[in-house]
Amino acid sequence: MVTAFIRTVLLYFIIMIGLRALGKRQIGELEPIELVMTLLISDLAAIPMQDFGIPLLNGIVPILTLLSLSMLLSWGCMRSLRLRRLICGNPTTLIKNGVLQQKAMQSNRFTLDELVEELRAQGVTDLTTVKFAVLETNGQLSVLLYPDEQPATPRQLGRPVRDDVSLPNILINDGRILHHNLSYAGLTLEWLMRQLKSRGYHTAREVFLFSIDDKGTVLCLGKEKNT
């Protein structure tokens, strides 16, 4: 039992560290080569977890090899446009200037039902309003509507807009003070404690969320009391 626990934990952290080094991607954003690598790694990791007769090194070496190969190919794709096209492919235009590209859909095995479904997912129910629809290399569909079908922006309407968008900086997260964010905001711990006391809190452990944006607007939410 202890052996199984140790082998599982080691493999888990090795895979997590390796995938983290490859960058942040969701499953739906993976390129084909990345998806294949993920499936292979999951199979390779399952074997030494289940069969204790197989040395752990026999599972770690192939996993590290695949991760290294993936990182090498990613580096090569950044350096070479030809290699990127060979591995990742090219985006395919399925709707061009409002016209369905039926040959492109057939070559990508993309049915009309799938196209309509993807358009509905983006809030588009009328094909005639779409000027371009591009099937990206990760399988997602990018949709561009005709200008007269797009929501009007304040610039198009000639109206001035005040820039009131700011990014909040979280200083307390579930009772924990984020000292790095506090220093980044140019604030001190003494200032934070004064803010808490002015709102009736004695310690940061009583606060669920405390944030401040670029304009100095503070959001302070206390923890719910157990009843």
Side-chain angles (χ1 to χ4, degrees):
M1 185 64 68
V2 176
T3 302
F5 175 78
I6 295 175
R7 291 164 70 99
T8 302
V9 170
L10 285 175
L11 287 169
Y12 174 79
F13 279 107
I14 289 173
I15 294 173
M16 287 300 298
I17 293 173
L19 293 179
R20 180 65 182 85
L22 296 178
K24 297 180 179 179
R25 291 287 189 92
Q26 297 180 3
I27 294 298
E29 298 175 349
L30 293 178
E31 300 288 351
I33 186 174
E34 296 171 333
L35 181 59
V36 170
M37 184 207 63
T38 303
L39 295 175
L40 287 176
I41 287 178
S42 63
D43 287 339
L44 288 172
I47 296 174
M49 286 183 187
Q50 298 173 356
D51 191 350
F52 297 158
I54 299 177
L56 185 60
L57 195 62
N58 289 1
I60 294 178
V61 171
I63 291 174
L64 293 180
T65 302
L66 284 175
L67 291 173
S68 301
L69 180 61
S70 180
M71 294 180 67
L72 180 62
L73 288 175
S74 297
W75 179 84
C77 289
M78 294 179 63
R79 296 286 183 176
S80 173
L81 184 59
R82 291 183 178 179
L83 181 61
R84 187 187 314 167
R85 289 175 177 173
L86 177 63
I87 294 178
C88 301
N90 292 319
T92 304
T93 303
L94 302 184
I95 298 179
K96 184 177 181 181
N97 292 321
V99 180
L100 278 172
Q101 306 298 304
Q102 298 183 28
K103 291 184 178 179
M105 293 178 62
Q106 292 174 1
S107 62
N108 285 272
R109 297 175 179 83
F110 203 85
T111 66
L112 184 59
D113 291 335
E114 291 173 327
L115 177 62
V116 173
E117 181 181 349
E118 290 289 339
L119 292 176
R120 284 200 304 267
Q122 301 192 37
V124 179
T125 57
D126 188 355
L127 280 173
T128 61
T129 63
V130 180
K131 185 174 183 179
F132 293 103
V134 181
L135 182 63
E136 306 294 352
T137 57
N138 59 7
Q140 294 186 348
L141 189 70
S142 299
V143 179
L144 299 176
L145 302 179
Y146 281 99
D148 56 351
E149 298 290 344
Q150 298 178 10
T153 64
R155 175 182 293 181
Q156 293 172 333
L157 297 176
R159 297 179 179 178
V161 178
R162 185 180 63 181
D163 185 5
D164 57 355
V165 178
S166 60
L167 185 65
N169 189 8
I170 298 178
L171 304 182
I172 298 179
N173 183 347
D174 197 6
R176 296 180 295 271
I177 299 177
L178 306 182
H179 293 278
H180 175 74
N181 291 354
L182 190 65
S183 176
Y184 178 80
L187 302 172
T188 63
L189 185 59
E190 290 76 14
W191 175 89
L192 180 59
M193 297 310 299
R194 288 197 302 268
Q195 292 291 322
L196 295 181
K197 289 181 180 180
S198 66
R199 290 168 170 79
Y201 300 104
H202 301 288
T203 64
R205 290 191 295 271
E206 303 176 56
V207 179
F208 183 73
L209 171 65
F210 187 100
S211 67
I212 183 171
D213 60 17
D214 299 335
K215 296 184 177 181
T217 303
V218 172
L219 174 63
C220 184
L221 300 176
K223 289 185 178 181
E224 295 180 352
K225 296 181 179 180
N226 296 326
T227 56

